[in-house]
Amino acid sequence: MKIEIWTDIVCPWCGLGEHRLKTALARFAHRDAVVVEHRAFQLDPSAPEGTTVPVRDMLRHKLRMDEERIRVTTGHIEALAAQDGLAPYHVGDNRTGNTLLAHQFAAHAATLGKDAEAWSALYRAHFGARRSVFEVDSLVTLGAEIGLEPESLRAALQDGRHRATVDAQIREARALGCGGVPFFVFDRTFAVSGAQSIDVFGQALQRAWDARPRPIPVLATPESSEGSCADGACAVPDPT
């Protein structure tokens, strides 16, 4: 069973939602049969590349929030994260910027089998430690921490070889009806939007598992498997 997660690195609900999904997965009886893959999404692709701004400034100018609403909103997310064991989780006292480069970092890691490690590192760096995930140098340092070869990563980030992959994933999200993140798609059967509770994710896992196509039961098999068309079926010869 496959779960695809469309997310943006600077979205605090995304980090919390993924944490809750992981918790639900840890409790799921069939967790070893579940594959989780991340997909790119940008909440603000118009944000200038190479610069960052305080989150409070972004919320004030882009979303027209006043100081009290900013305090309540960011504090609420931080409190929820703490309740779920995700702390520290810096939301209001953080910085934000264009995430295109960070998504290319994640795409590069995915080609090397380090999809989960890359996203965990990005969230841990951004929300846990308030480290930058917006420049080549900071991403190369982060990549080395999860075993990515620094110079190969630097070259990939500088030449933009994963840009097409990121753009395609964002387009696909739109085609699936994703208007915001986090957006979780279970086996391309149904989606869960938002940082839902651990129980909701648990129910979604079970529903997707129960909806999987079942093998057609075989009531009788040919007695011979010698590669002939005898006994009512054509058998493939055993290569051994």
Side-chain angles (χ1 to χ4, degrees), residues 151-193:
E151 291 313 309
S152 295
L153 173 58
R154 183 181 298 277
L157 295 175
Q158 290 177 335
D159 66 27
R161 69 187 68 168
H162 300 295
R163 173 68 185 267
T165 297
V166 171
D167 290 344
Q169 290 175 357
I170 294 172
R171 289 195 302 271
E172 188 174 25
R174 300 293 188 190
L176 289 171
C178 173
V181 286
F183 190 69
F184 305 83
V185 177
F186 290 75
D187 254 354
R188 291 295 172 109
T189 302
F190 64 90
V192 172
S193 182

Side-chain angles (χ1 to χ4, degrees), residues 57-129:
D57 288 356
M58 182 275 293
L59 293 174
R60 187 182 304 112
H61 297 128
K62 205 161 193 70
L63 300 184
R64 300 291 188 265
M65 289 187 179
D66 59 30
E67 282 298 326
E68 178 60 15
R69 187 180 173 196
I70 291 172
R71 183 187 67 79
V72 171
T73 300
T74 59
H76 176 60
I77 300 172
E78 290 170 354
L80 289 175
Q83 288 172 16
D84 285 357
L86 190 59
Y89 200 70
H90 302 285
V91 180
D93 58 341
N94 212 334
R95 299 184 70 83
T96 189
N98 191 296
T99 56
L100 180 60
L101 203 59
H103 282 300
Q104 292 178 73
F105 164 87
H108 179 76
T111 66
L112 300 172
K114 290 185 175 289
D115 177 63
E117 293 90 339
W119 280 91
S120 292
L122 285 166
Y123 285 134
R124 187 168 58 249
H126 182 64
F127 290 111

Side-chain angles (χ1 to χ4, degrees), residues 6-10 39-47 49 97-101 103 163 166-167 170 174 181:
W6 273 267
T7 182
D8 200 0
I9 293 94
V10 294
R39 304 283 185 259
F41 192 89
Q42 279 196 285
L43 288 170
D44 186 10
S46 68
E49 295 183 41
N98 191 296
T99 56
L100 180 60
L101 203 59
H103 282 300
R163 173 68 185 267
V166 171
D167 290 344
I170 294 172
R174 300 293 188 190
V181 286

Side-chain angles (χ1 to χ4, degrees), residues 130-160:
R130 288 181 291 189
R131 291 169 55 184
S132 176
V133 293
F134 305 102
E135 304 88 21
V136 170
D137 287 345
S138 61
L139 289 168
V140 168
T141 298
L142 189 64
E145 294 171 8
I146 61 170
L148 298 181
E149 202 285 312
E151 291 313 309
S152 295
L153 173 58
R154 183 181 298 277
L157 295 175
Q158 290 177 335
D159 66 27

